[in-house]
Amino acid sequence: MPPLSNLAVRDVETVVHPYVNLASFRDSGPLVIERGRGVFVFDSDGKAYIEGMAGLWCTALGYGNEELVETAAEQMRKLSFAHLFTGRSHDPAIELAEKLKEIAPVPISKVFFCNSGSEANDTQVKLVWYLNNALGRPNKKKIVSRVKAYHGTTIAAASLTGLPANHRDFDLPLPGFLHAGCPHYYRFAQEGESEEEFATRLAAELDALIVKEGPETVAAFIAEPVMGAGGVIVPPKTYFEKIMPVCAKHDLFVIGDEVICGFGRLGTLFGCQKLGFAPHAISIAKALSSAYLPIAAVMMPEAMYQALLVESKKVGLFGHGFTYGGHPVSAAVALKALEIYARDRIVEHAAGRAPQFQARLRALGEHPLVGVARGLGLVGGLELVADKRSKRSFAPQNGVAARAVRFAEEQGLIVRAVLGDVLTLSPPLIIDASEIDELFDRLGRALDRTLDWVTRERLTQA
Ligand SMILES: Cc1ncc(COP(=O)(O)O)c(C=O)c1O
């Protein structure tokens, strides 16, 4: 391992990083990013990378968008802070809430602002509990999520998340959080099972789980349209068509987690539109402001709002909120981002680029290291395997996908490795045809380098 730069040493000695092995990170150090332009970022040595992950699935409009910069500066000059507590309000929050109601894919009555996807999902859980108290159903409180779901890392959101590293030794999940089967066809479909049959089985298993727990104790179901951090898992055909009636049968409140899929990622404004289902409430964050500033929201239906009215009358106030929820600068930037998405037809652009992106992605499915290539719109995943025929994985301690990420960085490309040796891709939605080609050329070379390394280290052997 080459010695760390001065900046890297300062980082290692001062910053605790999310989502690394903190022990091995002391040797590898950080990749320090200094600036960005369009779909490119530049490290502290000036090296350019295609940001193949749009940061963390979020910088939809890329870097250096002057309109967003100007909007933030203008709003800061006018009113740098105002809050929504105790009956205060401000223009940007009101306008943004109106806009979100207008573009929502399902009937939305009100919007509650937060700062992150985790806060939005924590809020969803609290509101569902409130709702069932208001409805006189104090036992109907359990929330069903799914294995490999990612909903964030605060205590309730991490409980919703279905990934072991977010639970283990954090004493999570909390009681009352259930995880239904994961709609991962490549890994979890049975021998000879079609996508439709797999979906039918998952729906039957969800039904059985709810019946076993007692439907009178199960309050809600939460789902990402396409699972992101779990490994870009596109549900099998007819999945939501079969899952939604099970939720309806047991009177479950359905929460759509659109934190990644919202605002064009799948080629439709909201992911649920692409997957053909209608949640009752929706969590949004990330591309809401194209990640220029933190902002997130819960979009809720009238029935939920009525419950909040009942409860706040009873309790005396609605005791939930965040100092920076709906921050005027973030809200102004989000409004501008929504204006740009509409004016520049960003969602249509993403949909238009999707066939090329998916074709190049699927071509890498032929690579000897890739078990399966999957994706939708401008999101993709490559699951790396030791043996294509048997789908045998590499031993996790070999860190094969993590090594591929390093080789990609050498090639000037940022991708991410998630659990199960899946490489994920989610570039800014403004990416053009030649940049998509360049991204996949670089990724192909990185996979070849990874294969050489795997062969040298004899990692393909069982
Ligand atoms: C689907 C989904 N929900 C929630 C979150 C949590 O968002 P945040 O990291 O802003 O708390 C994420 C983050 O990646 C996500 O992908």
Side-chain angles (χ1 to χ4, degrees):
M1 201 89 61
L4 298 185
S5 69
N6 180 32
L7 196 57
V9 170
R10 284 166 51 206
D11 176 285
V12 168
E13 295 309 334
T14 51
V15 180
V16 175
H17 287 263
Y19 270 77
V20 291
N21 176 328
L22 286 165
S24 57
F25 175 73
R26 292 190 66 79
D27 299 321
S28 59
L31 170 63
V32 181
I33 301 296
E34 201 172 80
R35 64 192 175 88
R37 171 94 11 217
V39 302
F40 289 89
V41 291
F42 300 82
D43 71 15
S44 46
D45 295 323
K47 178 174 172 169
Y49 304 80
I50 296 177
E51 221 323 346
M53 275 302 294
L56 283 173
W57 332 80
C58 52
T59 61
L61 295 172
Y63 297 82
N65 184 305
E66 284 301 324
E67 280 186 278
L68 296 177
V69 174
E70 268 312 305
T71 300
E74 230 172 78
Q75 181 59 44
M76 271 192 199
R77 279 187 208 105
K78 186 174 167 195
L79 178 68
S80 57
F81 178 73
H83 61 81
L84 303 174
F85 279 54
T86 60
R88 306 279 193 85
S89 198
H90 51 79
D91 244 19
I94 297 165
E95 259 192 72
L96 180 58
E98 283 174 350
K99 188 77 206 168
L100 288 169
K101 280 183 62 171
E102 185 190 314
I103 65 175
V106 292
I108 291 301
S109 168
K110 303 287 180 287
V111 176
F112 180 84
F113 288 112
C114 323
N115 306 288
S116 69
S118 299
E119 284 180 6
N121 287 331
D122 262 52
T123 298
Q124 295 275 16
V125 169
K126 289 177 75 176
L127 297 193
V128 164
W129 291 343
Y130 226 49
L131 171 73
N132 281 338
N133 287 330
L135 294 177
R137 315 192 290 198
N139 295 325
K140 197 168 171 73
K141 294 288 167 57
K142 293 175 192 163
I143 319 268
V144 185
S145 174
R146 297 170 302 166
V147 170
K148 284 184 181 286
Y150 189 79
H151 298 295
T153 57
T154 48
I155 290 178
S159 297
L160 295 171
T161 289
L163 295 166
N166 300 102
H167 294 162
R168 190 168 164 196
D169 290 353
F170 286 118
D171 296 359
L172 293 173
L174 293 178
F177 288 80
L178 313 170
H179 293 90
C182 175
H184 190 332
Y185 184 71
Y186 178 74
R187 282 287 165 209
F188 301 135
Q190 289 167 355
E191 190 73 31
E193 200 172 39
S194 70
E195 285 195 42
E196 286 84 350
E197 287 162 350
F198 180 44
T200 302
R201 178 162 64 82
L202 288 171
E205 286 173 6
L206 175 66
D207 191 47
L209 173 71
I210 297 167
V211 168
K212 180 177 125 255
E213 292 287 330
E216 70 290 353
T217 70
V218 184
F221 175 78
I222 182 166
E224 304 154 79
V226 169
M227 292 171 138
V232 184
I233 298 163
V234 182
K237 289 189 194 97
T238 68
Y239 174 75
F240 282 107
E241 200 179 293
K242 289 167 180 160
I243 288 287
M244 292 297 285
V246 175
C247 294
K249 175 174 146 196
H250 298 297
D251 197 10
L252 266 52
F253 190 82
V254 176
I255 302 160
D257 183 341
E258 295 268 359
V259 168
I260 286 180
C261 297
F263 309 105
R265 178 57 57 195
L266 304 184
T268 45
L269 189 56
F270 290 90
C272 63
Q273 293 163 320
K274 185 79 176 182
L275 275 295
F277 73 106
H280 296 108
I282 293 177
S283 297
I284 50 174
K286 295 191 190 276
L288 170 57
S289 65
S290 189
Y292 275 64
L293 282 170
I295 184 163
V298 165
M299 304 200 287
M300 72 184 80
E302 178 64 17
M304 175 64 82
Y305 179 64
Q306 285 304 322
L308 303 193
L309 285 182
V310 168
E311 281 301 298
S312 69
K313 204 163 163 188
K314 183 174 90 193
V315 176
L317 87 167
F318 175 52
H320 181 67
F322 307 100
T323 298
Y324 299 125
H327 191 292
V329 184
S330 306
V333 167
L335 260 173
K336 180 56 80 175
L338 296 184
E339 184 189 319
I340 296 172
Y341 293 147
R343 185 196 66 202
D344 296 353
R345 303 176 65 79
I346 297 293
V347 179
E348 292 83 349
H349 171 82
R353 291 271 60 87
Q356 179 202 3
F357 182 89
Q358 293 299 331
R360 292 283 324 246
L361 178 81
R362 272 149 228 268
L364 287 180
E366 301 301 312
H367 193 278
L369 269 186
V370 178
V372 66
R374 54 177 177 257
L376 199 59
L378 290 186
V379 67
L382 297 173
E383 189 156 335
L384 307 187
V385 290
D387 181 55
K388 271 170 104 88
R389 179 111 43 104
S390 67
K391 303 185 185 177
R392 182 166 53 80
S393 305
F394 290 103
Q397 65 271 21
N398 290 324
V400 173
R403 187 57 79 111
V405 168
R406 297 288 159 265
F407 287 127
E409 285 169 9
E410 280 178 19
Q411 297 295 326
L413 171 66
I414 291 182
V415 293
R416 182 168 169 196
V418 301
L419 187 71
D421 276 327
V422 180
L423 291 176
T424 62
L425 286 170
S426 167
L429 300 183
I430 55 163
I431 194 164
D432 69 22
S434 65
E435 290 163 341
I436 289 176
D437 278 334
E438 188 55 39
L439 183 159
F440 283 103
D441 290 349
R442 292 180 188 191
L443 186 55
R445 291 196 293 273
L447 285 174
D448 291 344
R449 294 285 311 276
T450 312
L451 181 61
D452 288 347
W453 171 77
V454 156
T455 310
R456 261 197 328 274
E457 302 284 323
R458 299 173 188 278
L459 299 183
T460 48
Q461 291 166 6

